[in-house]
Amino acid sequence: MKISEILAADRPCLSFEVFPPKSTEAFDSVSRAAEQIADLHPSFMSVTYGAGGGTSLYTLQIALRLAAKGVTPLAHLTCASSTREEVRAQLARLRENGIENILALRGDIADPAACRSYRYAAQLVEEIRAAGDFCIGGACYPECHPESANDREDIQHLREKVEAGCSFLTTQMFFDNNIFYNFLYRVREAGISVPVIPGIMPVTNAVQIKRITSISGSPLPQRFRRIVDRYGDRPEAMQQAGIAYAVSQIIDLYANGVNAVHVYSMNKPGVAAAIRDSLSEILQPPVGRDGV
Ligand code: FAD
């Protein structure tokens, strides 16, 4: 099923992300974790793409495991470190295996001169469109992509990417929902009308924090820092508090009319299950006035 169809349905969507193994030895444990998350019946699941090297093939293999479990997979694909031929070969593999949804990404690059056939994700979106009937998504950055000079330029390039053929966008993680609401306002003002799925990261251990601040590019809100200061050295308490923080963000998003939320579940079935359970009633389809 295409993710655009899932997003168009009149019910709240909750999706999860997993990342593929970095080695053959880890394949079984990663695919087991992904399948356990699939057992929670999310609206769809995304599988990230490790740019370059043999591990990129695992994205497809994990996506197929999810499809076998009845969950619609969204395969990520990056382009910066690939040649046009490599991208085309991966697209052919995805098509032959019945994968219908691709998140088109550039990938992180230390030096733009190191890009091979593609410089920006929009070029990959065009390539995917030419390769078949895929539903294509793109990434977006409520706190601005670090390479963009300013928000205006960031949104302008985002609009070009959507015009190239994206049916939906997924955001980088954020920890203050007002950042997302402000971003959504600017996105709509710029005439971008596709669904924008907020990406929520449950922070369940203090080690994640440093990496997260460098990725999101902004300091964590004080409310969240207090939690880390208080519980960061008590793993179970930190996990509980991190899940509760993510759940409160998600409930606020649904309550404010956002229909779909994506959770960076980091191959942790326990965390995904705790979030899913906390939302069990909230995820029910809206009930009409007559109770039907
Ligand atoms: P782009 O859309 O190309 O944007 C990159 C920068 O270039 C932005 O600053 C943009 O404004 C600018 N730009 C775009 N077009 C132009 C233009 N014509 N002229 C000048 N500037 C322009 N990485 C992985 O390696 N694997 C993954 O699986 C993965 N999954 C991700 C999922 C999500 C939801 C997100 C938010 C990120 C993910 N990433 C992943 C990270 C991503 O690859 C990096 O953030 C990367 O730096 C940018 O990718 P992009 O697709 O957003 O690039």
Side-chain angles (χ1 to χ4, degrees):
M1 192 173 192
K2 293 217 164 74
I3 285 174
S4 51
E5 295 167 52
I6 295 173
L7 296 174
D10 184 23
R11 62 172 305 156
C13 296
L14 182 72
S15 52
F16 292 113
E17 178 167 297
V18 290
F19 53 83
K22 292 191 172 58
S23 66
T24 312
E25 296 70 49
F27 185 83
D28 284 343
S29 66
V30 168
S31 65
R32 228 177 1 259
E35 285 168 335
Q36 283 169 7
I37 297 175
D39 285 339
L40 302 170
H41 307 295
S43 307
F44 66 88
M45 280 176 72
S46 67
V47 189
T48 65
Y49 190 80
T55 63
S56 54
L57 292 178
Y58 294 141
T59 297
L60 172 59
Q61 290 172 14
I62 299 287
L64 291 175
R65 296 277 177 115
L66 299 177
K69 280 272 184 182
V71 172
T72 298
L74 167 62
H76 291 203
L77 178 61
T78 66
C79 59
S81 61
S82 305
T83 62
R84 202 166 287 278
E85 290 65 37
E86 286 164 346
V87 163
R88 286 180 179 168
Q90 180 70 358
L91 289 172
R93 272 192 291 273
L94 292 170
R95 197 178 46 234
E96 283 155 18
N97 283 282
I99 302 293
E100 294 181 276
N101 304 290
I102 302 178
L103 194 73
L105 299 144
R106 189 197 63 186
D108 280 319
I109 41 168
D111 173 12
C115 280
R116 298 170 84 187
S117 302
Y118 308 90
R119 176 72 180 83
Y120 300 113
Q123 297 165 299
L124 177 63
V125 173
E126 281 166 13
E127 187 77 55
I128 299 171
R129 264 186 62 197
D133 183 23
F134 291 105
C135 172
I136 308 168
C140 61
Y141 303 83
E143 296 178 78
C144 197
H145 188 275
E147 288 167 38
S148 297
N150 52 50
D151 287 350
R152 195 176 43 78
E153 188 186 295
D154 198 57
I155 300 254
Q156 181 193 322
H157 293 311
L158 184 62
R159 194 178 59 218
E160 289 158 12
K161 183 160 66 176
V162 171
E163 283 169 355
C166 290
S167 300
F168 66 94
L169 298 167
T170 307
T171 76
Q172 182 61 280
M173 66 187 85
F174 55 87
F175 296 91
D176 174 352
N177 286 359
N178 286 327
I179 292 172
F180 174 76
Y181 299 134
N182 290 340
F183 173 70
L184 197 57
Y185 179 82
R186 283 181 275 120
V187 162
R188 298 298 183 230
E189 198 180 38
I192 301 170
S193 59
V194 297
V196 181
I197 310 175
I200 298 297
M201 166 76 90
V203 179
T204 54
N205 65 67
V207 181
Q208 280 173 279
I209 310 282
K210 213 169 160 192
R211 187 173 136 69
I212 284 167
T213 356
S214 77
I215 291 177
S216 76
S218 71
L220 294 167
Q222 195 181 44
R223 193 163 83 87
F224 190 80
R225 275 188 283 131
R226 291 247 161 78
I227 290 174
V228 180
D229 289 347
R230 183 90 177 173
Y231 303 116
D233 57 357
R234 291 173 51 200
E236 286 81 13
M238 184 62 225
Q239 168 147 328
Q240 202 167 42
I243 290 170
Y245 191 95
V247 166
S248 75
Q249 270 193 286
I250 296 169
I251 293 174
D252 179 74
L253 289 161
Y254 287 137
N256 279 284
V258 172
N259 214 33
V261 176
H262 193 57
V263 176
Y264 296 116
S265 44
M266 307 286 289
N267 299 5
K268 292 180 184 157
V271 171
I275 290 176
R276 175 73 185 72
D277 291 349
S278 301
L279 300 168
S280 53
E281 290 304 319
I282 287 164
L283 291 171
Q284 295 304 316
V287 178
R289 249 187 301 158
D290 299 333
V292 290

